[in-house]
Amino acid sequence: MINRVIIRSKVVQVAYSYFITENKSIAEAENELLHSLEKGHELYYALLQLMIDLTDLQAQRLETARNKYLPTAEERNPNMRFVNNQFISDLRNNADFAEHYAEKPFSWGIVAETFLNNMLNTILETDEYKNYMNAPTCSAENDWELWRTIFKNTIAPSDELTEAVENLSLYWNEELNVEATFVLKTIKHFRNESENVKMLPMYKDDEDRKFALDLLHNTLANEKLYRSYIDRFTKNWEIERIAFMDVVIMLVAIGELVRMPSIPTVVTLNEYIELAKTFSTEQSSNFINGVLDAIVKELKKEGIINKD
């Protein structure tokens, strides 16, 4: 699912691209934004698919060992608990999940085989996996808990996943942590409902999609006006000394401050200061904070901003 943190980040990136590209129309930029958000949402499904692909890889390994020339007794009769995990079965058979992959098939085994093998090897060495496999009994609750724990503690924080995600899609770079939290939420839904679980939608509601398009359109259409606000409070700075990304972040922030009356000022300021830390530097975030704070105070005096 796409939240407003992701939306703001994507708007900043698309706005930056628009301003440095000649002859790009606002309509083209809006289409680029929607495409970027759609591709980002695919990461959510890819992370869910990762757990299925890891299960299938282990099933393949067990079958290969069973069919070798002189298998051991353990290889002839392997413990299939991990392969037959109920959560994975429920996810695999989920209607929403199956519909998505019928339209947009994806396999980690095809695009990142080495990563997949390394990740499975790491999982097989965890205490969570060993305790799960060696427990005298196993319930659906144990199946759910295994994947919740492994995803949270082993998969999501791994540097290997971060690298794989970065290599697979430019659209996924900043979204891994956010989408990982949505995957954990989805695992919890399966625990509570098991059948007929709905995958998280691309947007929480129609308002988020509208927010994305309005924020971008307002920024691009009012660039000169918003630039004049920035210029007013950066007179002691040579414009060449201000990083262009900092300017773009401030333009988008002003668009939200001026044209989004339902969003508290402090929320907007905090969000774009955090974005500056991601896209620029700690020094940039302090600089942007000072300029935006001055702009807000002045625009409130002028009645252009009418909110707390």
Side-chain angles (χ1 to χ4, degrees):
M1 189 169 72
I2 296 167
N3 64 14
R4 293 199 174 186
V5 173
I6 293 174
I7 289 172
R8 291 181 176 98
S9 173
K10 295 295 186 183
V11 169
V12 166
Q13 293 175 72
V14 172
Y16 183 92
S17 174
Y18 173 87
F19 290 133
I20 66 173
T21 305
E22 293 185 6
N23 302 321
K24 181 182 284 189
S25 69
I26 292 179
E28 288 173 327
E30 290 172 347
N31 288 334
E32 182 182 338
L33 174 63
L34 292 177
H35 176 71
S36 176
L37 290 170
E38 180 180 350
K39 294 295 291 185
H41 185 53
E42 290 177 10
L43 176 58
Y44 163 70
Y45 281 96
L47 292 173
L48 290 167
Q49 180 65 33
L50 175 57
M51 293 181 281
I52 292 176
D53 287 347
L54 288 164
T55 301
D56 290 345
L57 177 58
Q58 178 64 353
Q60 179 185 328
R61 287 183 179 183
L62 294 178
E63 186 63 20
T64 299
R66 181 188 285 129
N67 291 323
K68 72 181 187 181
Y69 180 59
L70 291 173
T72 65
E74 183 179 350
E75 288 170 337
R76 285 196 301 269
N77 296 286
N79 184 340
M80 302 294 287
R81 184 174 290 179
F82 181 79
V83 171
N84 293 331
N85 184 280
Q86 185 63 48
F87 163 67
I88 296 299
S89 177
D90 290 342
L91 176 60
R92 196 191 301 272
N93 295 318
N94 179 270
D96 280 359
F97 188 80
E99 181 180 354
H100 174 84
Y101 273 101
E103 296 177 1
K104 299 175 181 178
F106 176 85
S107 169
W108 291 87
I110 294 174
V111 300
E113 183 178 0
T114 300
F115 159 72
L116 193 67
N117 275 283
N118 291 343
M119 181 56 67
L120 179 58
N121 291 339
T122 299
I123 289 171
L124 299 184
E125 292 300 317
T126 63
D127 290 339
E128 290 89 352
Y129 173 82
K130 292 175 181 178
N131 293 337
Y132 169 80
M133 295 298 286
N134 293 327
T137 61
C138 182
S139 65
E141 176 77 12
N142 299 134
D143 288 348
W144 167 85
E145 179 61 22
L146 172 75
W147 277 110
R148 186 197 70 80
T149 305
I150 285 179
F151 188 86
K152 180 180 179 182
N153 297 338
T154 303
I155 296 177
S158 72
D159 292 337
E160 291 81 2
L161 176 62
T162 300
E163 183 178 352
V165 162
E166 289 176 349
N167 290 335
L168 286 172
S169 176
L170 294 173
Y171 296 102
W172 291 357
N173 287 356
E174 296 94 27
E175 300 181 25
L176 179 56
N177 290 339
V178 174
E179 296 299 343
T181 64
F182 292 140
V183 168
L184 289 170
K185 183 179 293 187
T186 300
I187 296 173
K188 184 176 181 180
H189 289 171
F190 273 90
R191 177 194 186 191
N192 295 337
E193 301 174 34
S194 183
E195 297 181 359
N196 302 318
V197 175
K198 293 294 183 183
M199 295 294 106
L200 296 180
M202 183 171 173
Y203 300 101
K204 183 180 68 175
D205 51 40
D206 291 340
E207 278 300 307
D208 276 357
R209 185 180 188 277
K210 184 176 184 300
F211 169 76
L213 289 172
D214 286 352
L215 182 59
L216 179 65
H217 184 91
N218 291 337
T219 300
L220 304 187
N222 295 287
E223 177 202 359
K224 290 183 180 179
L225 175 61
Y226 298 163
R227 276 266 202 171
S228 71
Y229 298 152
I230 296 171
D231 292 343
R232 198 187 310 177
F233 294 97
T234 55
K235 289 180 180 179
N236 295 329
W237 288 76
E238 296 177 18
I239 192 65
E240 293 81 6
R241 293 179 58 201
I242 303 175
F244 186 58
M245 177 56 80
D246 293 356
V247 174
V248 173
I249 291 171
M250 288 189 284
L251 289 172
V252 180
I254 294 168
E256 184 171 317
L257 288 164
V258 172
R259 302 298 293 271
M260 306 287 179
S262 64
I263 302 175
T265 297
V266 67
V267 171
T268 298
L269 293 177
N270 288 340
E271 291 292 340
Y272 289 95
I273 290 165
E274 286 303 310
L275 277 178
K277 295 175 184 177
T278 299
F279 290 123
S280 202
T281 67
E282 188 75 36
Q283 291 177 331
S284 290
S285 66
N286 293 333
F287 170 72
I288 288 171
N289 184 28
V291 175
L292 289 179
D293 186 59
I295 290 172
V296 167
K297 290 176 181 176
E298 184 63 25
L299 294 187
K300 282 186 175 183
K301 287 181 183 178
E302 295 176 9
I304 296 173
I305 295 178
N306 297 294
K307 60 181 179 180
D308 295 330

